Amino acid sequence: AQSVAQPEDQVNVAEGNPLTVKCTYSVSGNPYLFWYVQYPNRGLQFLLKYITGDNLVKGSYGFEAEFNKSQTSFHLKKPSALVSDSALYFCAVRDSGAGSYQLTFGKGTKLSVIP
Amino acid sequence: DADVTQTPRNRITKTGKRIMLECSQTKGHDRMYWYRQDPGLGLQLIYYSFDVKDINKGEISDGYSVSRQAQAKFSLSLESAIPNQTALYFCATSDSSGSYNEQFFGPGTRLTVL
């Protein structure tokens, strides 16, 4: 079985400061990892993914995420937070094995960027 | 994602009523999914379809049914709605020819069952 944990329900950060949203995962094989963002009254929007290769993945809106296999983590980061980054963030994982299709989502982390 | 549309966007209904939520996509993807989102629980998979003739139950299919009318259309039905089905429902699509199953989401339908 695969699972995702987002240990923080809410993260508050001052505008201009760096932000980190944490995610840890569990899969039996190699992971495919994803971050999505949900703005109020909107669907989930894809931010970035890790499939293989470089452990630092860059995505939309200046976000990046670092894959750490030994810690089974995939934390989302941004060097300088904007008020417009305030949203709900979801981490998701899928096993890379053949025939695997299902994404498992974390419970989400609400990010609030304070002006 | 504007290529995945859901109707209605909001619906209020009463216990025992039959409700259908519709999803259409113009992405040309073969795979489609229905999720529900409850506060603090993330997204839970209700049903998924790999093509028109391949429909499968997800984690929480009880009380729901689906129909894949065409590759581009996937509808979710609540045969007899109950209050604990009050939630935000999302449709998503993905392309099996892409290796990574990245999913694209519609804007969601907010359903309230009184």
Side-chain angles (χ1 to χ4, degrees):
Chain A
Q2 58 194 35
S3 64
V4 174
Q6 293 182 241
E8 301 155 317
D9 292 336
Q10 180 149 354
V11 170
N12 297 321
V13 63
E15 187 176 23
N17 283 2
L19 71 86
T20 299
V21 182
K22 296 180 180 178
C23 172
T24 59
Y25 67 91
S26 174
V27 293
S28 56
N30 291 317
Y32 291 161
L33 292 154
F34 304 83
W35 275 102
Y36 287 85
V37 59
Q38 183 182 23
Y39 298 102
N41 301 313
R42 302 285 297 275
L44 277 71
Q45 297 178 32
F46 169 76
L47 273 181
L48 51 79
K49 64 186 176 190
Y50 170 82
I51 303 301
T52 188
D54 193 346
N55 289 343
L56 186 63
V57 178
K58 294 187 182 297
S60 306
Y61 312 122
F63 284 93
E64 57 190 26
E66 185 169 11
F67 172 65
N68 187 316
K69 187 173 184 177
S70 63
Q71 296 185 5
T72 62
S73 67
F74 189 56
H75 300 332
L76 181 70
K77 300 180 180 184
K78 188 173 183 181
S80 177
L82 301 173
V83 172
S84 57
D85 293 329
S86 299
L88 189 57
Y89 290 81
F90 290 96
C91 181
V93 68
R94 177 172 86 83
D95 195 305
S96 62
S100 179
Y101 67 92
Q102 184 172 342
L103 278 183
T104 297
F105 288 84
K107 295 182 178 182
T109 298
K110 182 178 180 181
L111 173 67
S112 293
V113 181
I114 303 163
Chain B
D1 193 311
D3 298 325
V4 184
T5 58
Q6 293 183 235
T7 56
R9 294 293 310 278
N10 290 281
R11 182 71 183 267
I12 299 174
T13 191
K14 295 182 179 180
T15 297
K17 293 291 187 180
R18 184 178 188 274
I19 296 296
M20 179 180 288
L21 309 183
E22 298 186 344
C23 176
S24 295
Q25 53 112 349
T26 58
K27 300 188 76 68
H29 289 172
D30 52 342
R31 296 181 173 184
M32 298 186 74
Y33 310 80
W34 276 105
Y35 291 91
R36 67 176 278 174
Q37 182 184 21
D38 298 278
L41 292 181
L43 276 74
Q44 297 173 279
L45 183 64
I46 306 172
Y47 271 93
Y48 62 98
S49 171
F50 282 176
D51 65 37
V52 174
K53 296 182 179 180
D54 184 358
I55 294 177
N56 303 278
K57 294 181 177 181
E59 306 168 72
I60 55 164
S61 59
D62 287 348
Y64 301 95
S65 62
V66 292
S67 175
R68 186 85 183 265
Q69 301 94 324
Q71 187 183 41
K73 295 183 182 295
F74 193 37
S75 60
L76 176 72
S77 293
L78 288 66
E79 297 300 327
S80 179
I82 57 177
N84 76 359
Q85 291 177 313
T86 293
L88 190 54
Y89 290 84
F90 287 105
C91 174
T93 73
S94 68
D95 182 2
S96 64
S97 65
S99 301
Y100 312 128
N101 203 43
E102 175 184 326
Q103 295 184 15
F104 297 84
F105 286 80
T109 294
R110 186 170 297 279
L111 177 66
T112 302
V113 183
L114 301 176

